[in-house]
Structures are given as C-alpha cells and as structure tokens.
Amino acid sequence: MSDKGKKETKMYIYVADVVFVAWNNDRGELLKRLRGKKSRQKLADEIAARGGECSHQNIKKLEYGESESVSIKVLEAICAALNISLSDFLCTVEVTN
C-alpha cells in the first residue's frame, strides 16, 4: 500500500512537561564535540557553578552512549554551561508511549 495521500500528524509538547530525554550515540557525539577541549571536570564544575548537578563521570557516560536517557534538568544544565540553548541541542524530541 502506498503512503501517497497519507497525512502526517505532528505533536507538540511543552519542554516543561518533559522529564527525561532518550539518549543515543549521536547525541553523545554531539555533546563531546560541543565540549571541545574543555575537560569533563571543567564542564561539571561550570554546571555546578550554575546550580546544576552533573558529575564528570555522568558526562563521560553520556558521551559514550552508556546512558539510555538523561533528565531534562541535567540536559538544561549542560546546555547552559556550554552556552547553547536546549532547542539548539535537541533538533527534535521524540515522544514514545
């Protein structure tokens, strides 16, 4: 059966309603690239200075794709320390049942 004529449905959600974001290797590679030459410890210290919580071990797990998900609070703190917006980091947020 052809998909021709089939309508695509888009769903929008408020980021404030998101608790966790699914994580994968691509997002880990992006995090590593955005961190650049800054050490994981330095990034963790910058996150802590902004009132967030994320250890350098947790950053390593995220970069190597060893985590299945990350809390939106942690991801917001990482993005703030990297001086990027959450929306710049996340092109799309997949919602699964």
Side-chain angles (χ1 to χ4, degrees):
M1 188 171 170
S2 171
D3 286 339
K4 188 176 183 179
K6 201 175 194 181
K7 290 185 178 182
E8 183 178 314
T9 302
K10 292 186 180 190
M11 183 168 85
Y12 297 93
I13 57 173
Y14 292 105
V15 172
D17 293 335
V18 175
V19 178
F20 289 97
V21 174
W23 200 257
N24 57 35
N25 287 337
D26 291 338
R27 288 185 174 149
E29 285 296 319
L30 175 59
L31 173 56
K32 190 173 183 179
R33 191 170 63 245
L34 290 170
R35 180 173 59 84
K37 294 184 181 190
K38 184 184 297 186
S39 73
R40 290 184 194 101
Q41 185 60 56
K42 175 86 170 143
L43 180 58
D45 292 344
E46 290 177 6
I47 291 167
R50 289 177 163 82
E53 289 185 31
C54 187
S55 69
H56 71 280
Q57 295 96 338
N58 193 21
I59 294 168
K60 181 180 178 182
K61 286 181 180 182
L62 290 170
E63 288 181 350
Y64 283 91
E66 296 173 0
S67 296
E68 292 182 12
S69 63
V70 63
S71 77
I72 196 72
K73 296 268 186 211
V74 168
L75 190 53
E76 285 174 327
I78 290 170
C79 289
L82 292 171
N83 295 316
I84 63 168
S85 71
L86 182 62
S87 61
D88 285 342
F89 189 86
L90 295 174
C91 296
T92 60
V93 177
E94 296 178 25
V95 178
T96 58
N97 296 338

